[in-house]
């Protein structure tokens, strides 16, 4: 518990010594999004305290701010403010060792972000540049560079009032909104945002540009590949603009769009700082909750991972396969814990139960012969014998009876009780609390069974959020389980973030009786390794750096030579195809750019050059062939890649010929089509070999005549 003088809650005018305020970096955390995306859970708890990989969301945001050098933090929370105040007062952020000099919870009657910003302006707490961040940010990149650039711009131009920190990623990254794509129109010479618009995929996907922008700016970029985490560096003028316009209610759709649109009137400019590596994402909805949780468990967010133990009292340990366990866990001999699983303290798992890709909170009771896959089960929940839970969220103290089936997408809120034998559909959002308050309502036996407690929430407040996605249309993150897992989608299905997951020495397993399933090791290694290599190729890392990261992944998954080749081929072909598709260079030049630079990395996947049978080389070429079937200009990339591999002496003539004669290379129309252009090169090799044999024969004849 922190000192009494740090207890949360303030009056409208918080008095902070003037000498402290002038030099300190301030931050405003919008812990309440003023939306309904996380219902039914937010009917009873503040959104920022919902657990992400068993750590409250607010912890990730505060850790990010602490790393940025923030000293004063002001937190706006709308609903359930008392719960957040109690949590903060008992947290490490209120102790003497806290990196923050002040952390203050601001109470207000705000019903939107706009109301909160206008309330902040009235309080006169902001004295200089400050950060505005959402309370659901998970990020590990440093802000020093962005802050320095913002301050330099502000020093040169007082009208440069705001810098948005954005993360470069693919246009289809899984943490981005699905219905809309935020489009930023940027002048790259000044890093200035000229126009902002949300493009709806169901309405053609067009950006409406003012022709004057094209006339007054020599260079313009339209960026749809940016993750917007709502991390803004602001001057106090920003608050004045919020107060001057009561129509501004949302951060981007109204404020950003309006300020840019009215540039001729207000003269204010907003700039961007684009980060190209490390991690940044917002847990904006339940689909993003699933995606970011997976990234945390897979260590893309390092050092913000479970075994960093961000919350007070946590004692997670990291094990092989991205498994994290606290002390006091009870695992039956025949239970199976698969990869990417987090298990909190004092949780028990019964005989014959299988748990994988799942986060289990503390003191959970998992019965016998239970199957849990891709689920999030919070503290003190119970799952009865024989039940199956797939890709669902079960909140604190909820009870799932025996032989139940919880289908993908189901949301079961606090204290709900599902009777034995009940099938809960994926569309269910079951709660015991009324929408309008904390009162309970009569249970619905059709939903929870005769002995159950709870009812299905039919919430009329499923309004479109700022990204244009209604709560109902999200259908939950669990539709990701049906996403394609082809090699061509490696950077979007997994994480596009360039920071390789960090691995440490594996501690001794807590229970020799618990097995770790390797059922999905092959696929998991391929996804992780291919994404890592591809990101490194984009960054231009050296072959040695990529090899070091690849070896770490290989050792942790005990991957075979074939699996390593598969990952290398998938990443290289995707990179080459991307260069051909997005730039003016041809397939030949793109192949040379990638293969020649990383010759050593490719060579390290082929081991049998001294042998007559070129098994590794044939395997490498077959993997290339299969990968290029669905890529644009795949047949041309195949031709030039085979030629480049031969010219660099990575693949030998015998290897090319054995691949060509292998029946697998001509198995099906697609395979024959991809290799069609390469036939001319294979013919050239054969003719060159015949010419060489003829020359040798002539030399032998000449030699015998001289004798």
């Amino acid at each position: 518990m922190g000192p009494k003088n740090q207890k949360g809650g303030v009056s409208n005018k918080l008095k902070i010594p003037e000498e402290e305020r002038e030099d300190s970096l301030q931050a405003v955390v919008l812990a309440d999004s003023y939306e309904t995306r996380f219902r039914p859970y937010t009917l009873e708890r503040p959104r920022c305290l919902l657990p992400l990989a068993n750590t409250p969301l607010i912890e990730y945001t505060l850790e990010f701010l602490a790393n940025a050098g923030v000293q004063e933090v002001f937190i706006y929370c709308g609903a359930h403010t008392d719960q957040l105040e109690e949590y903060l007062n008992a947290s490490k952020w209120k102790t003497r060792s806290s990196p923050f000099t002040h952390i203050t919870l601001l109470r207000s009657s705000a019903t939107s972000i706009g109301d909160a910003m206008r309330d902040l302006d009235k309080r006169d707490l902001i004295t200089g540049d400050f950060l505005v961040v959402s309370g659901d940010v998970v990020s590990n990149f440093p802000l020093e560079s962005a802050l320095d650039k913002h301050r330099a711009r502000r020093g040169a131009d007082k009208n440069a009032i705001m810098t948005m920190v954005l993360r470069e990623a693919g246009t289809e990254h899984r943490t981005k909104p699905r219905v809309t794509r935020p489009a930023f129109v940027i002048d790259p010479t000044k890093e200035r945002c000229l126009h902002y618009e949300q493009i709806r995929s169901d309405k053609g996907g067009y950006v409406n540009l003012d022709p004057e922008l094209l006339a007054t700016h020599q260079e313009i970029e339209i960026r749809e590949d940016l993750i917007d985490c709502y991390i803004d560096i602001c001057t106090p003028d920003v608050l004045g603009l919020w107060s001057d316009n009561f129509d501004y209610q949302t951060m981007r759709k109204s404020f950003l769009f309006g300020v840019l649109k009215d540039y001729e009137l207000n003269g204010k400019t907003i700039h961007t700082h684009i980060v190209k590596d490390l991690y940044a994402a917002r847990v904006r909805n339940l689909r993003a909750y699933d995606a970011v949780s997976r990234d945390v468990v897979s260590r893309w967010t390092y050092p913000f991972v479970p075994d960093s133990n961000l919350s007070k009292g946590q004692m997670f340990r990291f094990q092989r396969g991205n498994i994290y366990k606290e002390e006091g866990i009870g695992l039956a001999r025949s239970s199976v814990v698969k990869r990417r699983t987090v298990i909190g303290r004092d949780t028990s798992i019964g005989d014959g139960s299988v748990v994988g890709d799942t986060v289990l909170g503390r003191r959970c009771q998992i019965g016998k012969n239970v199957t849990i896959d891709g689920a999030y089960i919070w503290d003190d929940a119970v799952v009865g014998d024989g039940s199956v839970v797939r890709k669902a969220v079960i909140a604190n103290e909820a009870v799932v009876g025996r032989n139940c089936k919880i289908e993908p997408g189901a949301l079961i809120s606090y204290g709900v009780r599902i009777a034995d034998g009940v099938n809960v559909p994926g569309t269910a959002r079951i709660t015991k609390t009324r929408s309008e308050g904390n009162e309970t309502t009569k249970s619905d036996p059709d939903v929870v069974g005769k002995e159950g407690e709870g009812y299905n929430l039919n919430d009329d407040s499923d309004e479109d959020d700022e990204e244009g996605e209604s709560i109902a249309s999200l259908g939950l993150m669990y539709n990701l389980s049906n996403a394609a897992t082809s090699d061509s989608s490696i950077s979007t299905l997994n994480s596009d973030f360039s920071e390789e997951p960090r691995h440490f020495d594996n501690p001794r397993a807590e229970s020799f009786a618990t097995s770790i399933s390797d059922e999905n090791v092959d696929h998991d290694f391929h996804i992780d390794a291919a994404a890592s290599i591809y990101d490194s190729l984009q960054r231009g890392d050296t072959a040695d750096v990529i090899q070091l990261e690849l070896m770490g992944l290989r050792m942790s998954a005990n991957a075979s030579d074939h699996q390593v080749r598969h990952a290398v081929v998938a990443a290289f072909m995707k990179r080459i195809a991307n260069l051909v598709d997005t730039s003016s260079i041809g397939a030949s030049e793109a192949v040379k750019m990638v293969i020649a630079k990383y010759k050593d990395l490719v060579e390290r996947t082929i081991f049998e050059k001294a042998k007559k049978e070129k098994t590794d080389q044939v395997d490498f070429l077959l993997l290339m062939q299969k990968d290029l079937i669905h890529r644009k200009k795949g047949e041309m990339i195949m031709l030039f890649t085979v030629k480049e591999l031969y010219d660099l002496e990575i693949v030998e003539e015998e290897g090319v010929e054995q691949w060509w004669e292998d029946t697998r290379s001509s198995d099906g129309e697609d395979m024959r089509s991809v290799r069609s252009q390469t036939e001319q090169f294979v013919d050239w090799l054969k003719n060159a070999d015949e010419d060489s044999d003829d020359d040798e024969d002539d030399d032998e004849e000449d030699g015998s005549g001289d004798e």
Side-chain angles (χ1 to χ4, degrees), residues 58 185 298 345 411 497 596 608 618 638:
I58 192 72
V185 180
S298 297
R345 180 181 301 163
L411 306 179
F497 304 112
E608 71 333 28
V618 172
M638 187 77 200

Side-chain angles (χ1 to χ4, degrees), residues 591-653:
V591 168
K592 287 182 181 294
M593 286 175 59
V594 177
I595 301 296
K597 181 175 179 180
Y598 297 100
K599 172 187 174 184
D600 292 345
L601 181 62
V602 179
E603 278 189 317
R604 290 169 182 166
T605 67
I606 296 172
F607 304 100
E608 71 333 28
K609 287 193 175 182
K611 298 179 181 179
K612 184 176 180 180
E613 295 297 324
K614 309 300 180 183
T615 308
D616 291 354
Q617 298 178 34
V618 172
D619 185 42
F620 193 95
L621 295 175
L622 285 172
L623 288 168
M624 277 176 45
Q625 195 179 353
K626 293 176 182 178
D627 185 278
L628 291 170
I629 285 176
H630 301 294
R631 298 195 187 277
K632 293 180 181 179
K633 301 183 179 179
E635 65 282 354
M636 297 304 298
I637 295 174
M638 187 77 200
L639 165 63
F640 290 116
T641 304
V642 172
K643 183 177 181 301
E644 186 69 13
L645 292 172
Y646 174 78
D647 290 343
L648 294 174
E649 300 181 349
I650 298 173
V651 171
E652 300 166 281
E653 180 179 336

Side-chain angles (χ1 to χ4, degrees), residues 144 148 175 302 326 383 399 547 554-555 578:
E144 286 85 352
D148 290 344
T175 66
Y302 185 88
E326 281 195 291
V383 180
V399 176
Q547 180 67 17
R554 178 179 184 172
M555 292 176 66
N578 182 260

Side-chain angles (χ1 to χ4, degrees), residues 173-425:
H173 191 270
R174 62 180 183 167
T175 66
K176 297 179 71 175
R178 291 284 181 93
V179 177
T180 63
R181 301 193 305 274
F184 295 86
V185 180
I186 297 170
D187 181 345
T189 62
K190 300 178 181 178
E191 296 182 312
R192 179 183 157 196
C193 186
L194 305 174
H195 177 71
Y196 172 82
E197 193 167 329
Q198 292 175 355
I199 303 174
R200 293 189 66 96
S201 57
D202 56 348
K203 294 186 178 180
Y206 297 104
V207 176
N208 299 307
L209 280 182
D210 186 342
E212 189 175 344
L213 290 179
L214 302 176
T216 55
H217 296 273
Q218 293 184 345
E219 189 175 349
I220 283 180
E221 292 180 350
I222 301 177
R223 303 291 299 268
E224 299 177 45
D225 61 335
L226 302 175
I227 295 177
D228 184 7
C229 295
Y230 286 43
I231 301 173
D232 297 336
I233 307 171
C234 306
T235 67
D237 289 345
V238 167
L239 296 178
L241 290 175
W242 281 99
S243 294
D244 290 343
N245 195 323
F246 281 83
D247 291 334
Y248 293 161
Q249 297 297 331
T250 59
M251 190 70 74
R252 298 291 185 252
K253 195 173 181 180
S254 59
F255 177 78
L256 176 61
F257 177 82
V259 172
L260 297 178
K261 182 174 178 291
D262 294 338
Y263 168 71
E264 295 296 332
L265 296 176
N266 57 46
K268 306 299 183 183
T269 60
I270 295 177
H271 296 261
T272 61
H273 180 83
I274 299 175
V275 181
K276 297 185 178 180
D277 54 15
L278 299 178
Y279 190 93
R282 272 191 67 208
V283 187
R284 62 168 56 84
N285 53 38
L286 285 160
R287 181 170 58 81
Y289 177 88
D290 175 63
V292 177
S293 294
R294 291 172 183 270
D295 288 340
V296 170
V297 174
S298 297
R299 307 186 75 78
W300 296 101
T301 60
Y302 185 88
F304 305 137
V305 291
D307 55 306
S308 292
N309 298 311
L310 301 180
S311 293
K312 287 179 66 175
Q314 286 185 334
M315 294 291 290
F316 282 105
R317 298 172 64 192
F318 174 69
Q319 298 182 2
R320 178 178 178 269
N322 290 334
I323 293 174
Y324 307 84
K325 297 177 182 177
E326 281 195 291
E327 298 176 351
I329 296 171
L331 302 177
R333 278 184 185 275
S334 58
S335 65
V336 176
V337 177
K338 293 186 177 181
R339 292 167 59 88
R340 294 186 300 273
T341 297
V342 182
I343 306 177
R345 180 181 301 163
D346 298 328
T347 285
S348 62
I349 301 177
D351 282 314
S353 293
V354 180
V355 178
D357 281 309
T358 289
V359 177
L360 295 177
R362 291 180 169 181
R363 301 174 300 278
C364 294
Q365 299 177 39
I366 310 301
K368 299 178 181 179
N369 301 313
V370 172
T371 299
I372 302 178
D373 175 48
Y376 301 92
I377 300 179
W378 300 348
D379 294 350
D380 301 299
V382 176
V383 180
D385 297 348
S387 291
V388 177
V389 181
R390 299 189 187 278
K391 299 176 173 61
V393 181
I394 300 177
N396 302 49
E397 301 176 356
V399 176
V400 175
R402 297 179 179 180
N403 301 314
C404 294
K405 183 177 180 181
I406 312 300
E407 296 184 353
L411 306 179
I412 298 176
S413 193
Y414 302 96
V416 167
R417 180 179 293 271
I418 306 296
D420 295 348
V422 173
N423 184 359
V424 178

Side-chain angles (χ1 to χ4, degrees), residues 363-539:
R363 301 174 300 278
C364 294
Q365 299 177 39
I366 310 301
K368 299 178 181 179
N369 301 313
V370 172
T371 299
I372 302 178
D373 175 48
Y376 301 92
I377 300 179
W378 300 348
D379 294 350
D380 301 299
V382 176
V383 180
D385 297 348
S387 291
V388 177
V389 181
R390 299 189 187 278
K391 299 176 173 61
V393 181
I394 300 177
N396 302 49
E397 301 176 356
V399 176
V400 175
R402 297 179 179 180
N403 301 314
C404 294
K405 183 177 180 181
I406 312 300
E407 296 184 353
L411 306 179
I412 298 176
S413 193
Y414 302 96
V416 167
R417 180 179 293 271
I418 306 296
D420 295 348
V422 173
N423 184 359
V424 178
T427 55
R429 292 191 290 166
I430 304 174
T431 181
K432 293 172 62 178
T433 304
R434 293 178 184 271
S435 299
E436 61 268 18
N438 290 326
E439 300 177 22
T440 58
T441 192
K442 186 177 180 180
S443 296
D444 185 349
D446 293 336
V447 174
V448 297
K450 291 183 179 179
E451 304 298 323
E453 297 178 19
Y455 74 104
N456 197 43
L457 178 67
N458 296 315
D459 199 343
D460 295 332
S461 59
D462 276 356
E463 79 282 353
D464 284 353
D465 60 32
E466 185 174 355
E467 281 84 17
E469 297 187 354
S470 72
I471 313 310
S473 71
L474 289 174
L476 258 189
M477 59 283 188
Y478 309 114
N479 290 329
L480 287 174
S481 61
N482 299 320
T485 56
S486 65
D487 295 340
S488 62
S489 64
I490 59 173
S491 69
T492 54
L493 190 126
N494 206 38
S495 179
D496 272 346
F497 304 112
S498 55
E499 184 71 1
E500 177 62 28
R502 315 295 178 88
H503 298 273
F504 305 98
D505 293 336
N506 296 338
R508 184 183 299 272
E510 294 181 20
S511 170
F512 68 89
T514 302
S515 62
I516 299 174
S517 172
D518 291 327
E519 177 184 338
N520 296 317
V521 166
D522 291 1
H523 177 70
D524 293 334
F525 169 79
H526 174 72
I527 292 294
D528 292 344
S532 173
I533 297 168
Y534 178 74
D535 288 338
S536 295
L537 295 177
Q538 284 189 307
R539 292 197 305 267

Side-chain angles (χ1 to χ4, degrees), residues 106-120:
L106 301 179
R107 298 174 179 269
S108 78
S109 58
T111 58
S112 69
I113 292 176
D115 290 344
M117 298 301 282
R118 284 182 282 271
D119 177 75
L120 180 64

Side-chain angles (χ1 to χ4, degrees), residues 70-118:
V70 170
Q71 293 174 286
E72 297 179 43
V73 179
F74 303 105
I75 302 177
Y76 268 95
C77 179
H80 314 297
T81 305
D82 291 340
Q83 293 183 39
L84 179 57
E85 181 177 24
E86 181 181 358
Y87 176 83
L88 289 174
N89 286 338
S91 73
K92 63 184 179 183
W93 307 110
K94 286 285 191 174
T95 64
R96 296 185 184 278
S97 61
S98 171
F100 304 130
T101 58
H102 299 89
I103 180 167
T104 307
L105 188 63
L106 301 179
R107 298 174 179 269
S108 78
S109 58
T111 58
S112 69
I113 292 176
D115 290 344
M117 298 301 282
R118 284 182 282 271

